[in-house]
Amino acid sequence: MATLTAADRRRLARVEYDAFLAACPSRQLLDRISDKWVTLSLTALADGPQRYSEISRRVAGVSQKMLTQTLRGLERDGLVTRTVTPMVPVRVDYELTPLGDSLLETLKPLKRWAELHMVEVDRARDTFERAAPSANG
Amino acid sequence: MATLTAADRRRLARVEYDAFLAACPSRQLLDRISDKWVTLSLTALADGPQRYSEISRRVAGVSQKMLTQTLRGLERDGLVTRTVTPMVPVRVDYELTPLGDSLLETLKPLKRWAELHMVEVDRARDTFERAAPSANG
DNA sequence: CGGCATCCTGAGAGATACTG
DNA sequence: CAGTATCTCTCAGGATGCCG
């Protein structure tokens, strides 16, 4: 039984795919910004440095775990800086790096596209749902 | 015990957050393109109409389930069209709509950013890892 | 060929409690 | 205040099998 099954072939393809991913900057970036909280945290820092608690207030609904995790990721990737001030109650400030800022800028056209075209998407979705009310029509 | 716990407050915030999301085009778009296979499928269609099997070959490593699911989502959102030709073995072609194409265009600057700056990100990550080898040396 | 229904698993999201 | 550690549990995603 040395013949490859469909599953085997897919598995193989997946390995190649992963290897491909590792070398593809676009995919890496996408993996990064596709994280739900990443863009929100980035946006929260758009106006300048913020304390941890301030960010957690701006990014409504995030848990400490997720926020910390996200900010650490951003710090590690050189998109934000983390500054600890050893006061009695510790104070930690986060700030966009130039790199992080440039990313935020690059994200703006996308935002603009969304604002311009998401209504069309919504309309299309409506039409589609009406035409094929399979799920919950 | 009418006082709100931290969890309660977070829960409340989360509800507001979700309501906010529902009205925020940028977040909607992000939710859409953050899907792993969406951009890959979109890219696969960049060169013109493709058959289902052709796409599944281009988007290496995807299962039928995910591909079908993704394509349906894109169709429903008006980003691709789906054309069924009732031959003996059925033939289905997918093609970008103008809307889908314009989205793909908007994605390109992001791609460019990635190609320009992901090395910096990688370098930052390296430095960070070396400075704080907490996880895996 | 293209696609749906079904079952199953595991990565990740959140809640909770503790620390400096 | 700003985390870390631990547990649970959901649900996206993959495998498999059948249908038109």
Side-chain angles (χ1 to χ4, degrees):
Chain A
M1 264 341 159
T3 319
L4 292 183
T5 67
D8 287 335
R9 261 178 280 116
R10 222 179 302 116
R11 224 183 303 269
L12 265 175
R14 172 150 261 289
V15 172
E16 292 169 26
Y17 164 79
D18 284 341
F20 173 69
L21 272 205
C24 175
S26 314
R27 290 298 309 162
Q28 289 178 346
L29 175 64
L30 208 57
D31 278 353
R32 207 127 299 275
I33 65 167
S34 72
D35 185 320
K36 189 178 188 176
W37 303 113
V38 164
T39 37
L40 284 175
S41 303
L42 238 39
T43 315
L45 289 169
D47 305 328
Q50 309 282 336
R51 298 187 60 168
Y52 179 90
S53 47
E54 184 55 35
I55 302 173
S56 92
R57 225 166 296 125
R58 289 182 169 228
V59 183
V62 72
S63 62
Q64 313 97 307
K65 180 188 170 181
M66 280 304 104
L67 186 55
T68 301
Q69 191 173 301
T70 303
L71 288 170
R72 282 304 155 92
L74 291 174
E75 184 197 6
R76 149 191 158 130
D77 289 350
L79 297 172
V80 308
T81 56
R82 177 170 175 273
T83 314
V84 182
T85 314
M87 314 167 65
V88 183
V90 194
R91 176 195 176 107
V92 183
D93 288 273
Y94 291 89
E95 183 175 9
L96 281 182
T97 63
L99 190 61
D101 196 58
S102 88
L103 176 55
L104 197 56
E105 287 304 312
T106 313
L107 253 22
K108 285 187 181 173
L110 215 55
K111 189 185 171 202
R112 203 153 11 246
W113 189 95
E115 285 160 357
L116 285 173
H117 298 293
M118 279 312 281
V119 282
E120 295 181 51
V121 171
D122 282 346
R123 200 160 29 226
R125 195 177 311 186
D126 261 30
T127 310
F128 191 82
E129 295 296 313
R130 223 177 303 281
S134 43
N136 43 9
Chain B
M1 267 335 164
T3 318
L4 294 182
T5 66
D8 286 334
R9 261 179 280 114
R10 221 180 301 117
R11 224 184 304 271
L12 266 174
R14 172 152 261 287
V15 172
E16 292 169 23
Y17 163 79
D18 284 341
F20 173 69
L21 273 205
C24 175
S26 314
R27 289 299 309 161
Q28 289 179 344
L29 175 64
L30 208 56
D31 279 354
R32 208 125 297 278
I33 65 168
S34 72
D35 185 319
K36 189 177 187 176
W37 303 113
V38 164
T39 36
L40 284 175
S41 303
L42 239 38
T43 317
L45 289 169
D47 306 328
Q50 308 282 337
R51 296 188 62 168
Y52 179 91
S53 48
E54 184 54 37
I55 302 173
S56 94
R57 224 165 298 125
R58 290 183 169 226
V59 183
V62 72
S63 62
Q64 312 97 310
K65 181 185 172 183
M66 281 304 105
L67 187 55
T68 301
Q69 190 173 302
T70 303
L71 289 170
R72 282 303 154 95
L74 291 174
E75 183 197 7
R76 147 191 160 133
D77 289 350
L79 297 172
V80 308
T81 56
R82 177 171 175 273
T83 314
V84 182
T85 313
M87 313 166 66
V88 183
V90 194
R91 176 196 177 108
V92 182
D93 289 272
Y94 292 89
E95 182 175 11
L96 281 182
T97 64
L99 190 61
D101 195 59
S102 89
L103 175 56
L104 197 57
E105 287 304 312
T106 313
L107 253 22
K108 286 187 180 172
L110 214 56
K111 189 185 171 201
R112 201 150 17 242
W113 190 95
E115 286 160 357
L116 285 173
H117 297 293
M118 280 311 282
V119 281
E120 294 182 51
V121 171
D122 281 346
R123 198 157 35 223
R125 194 177 310 187
D126 261 31
T127 310
F128 190 83
E129 296 295 313
R130 221 178 304 281
S134 45
N136 42 8

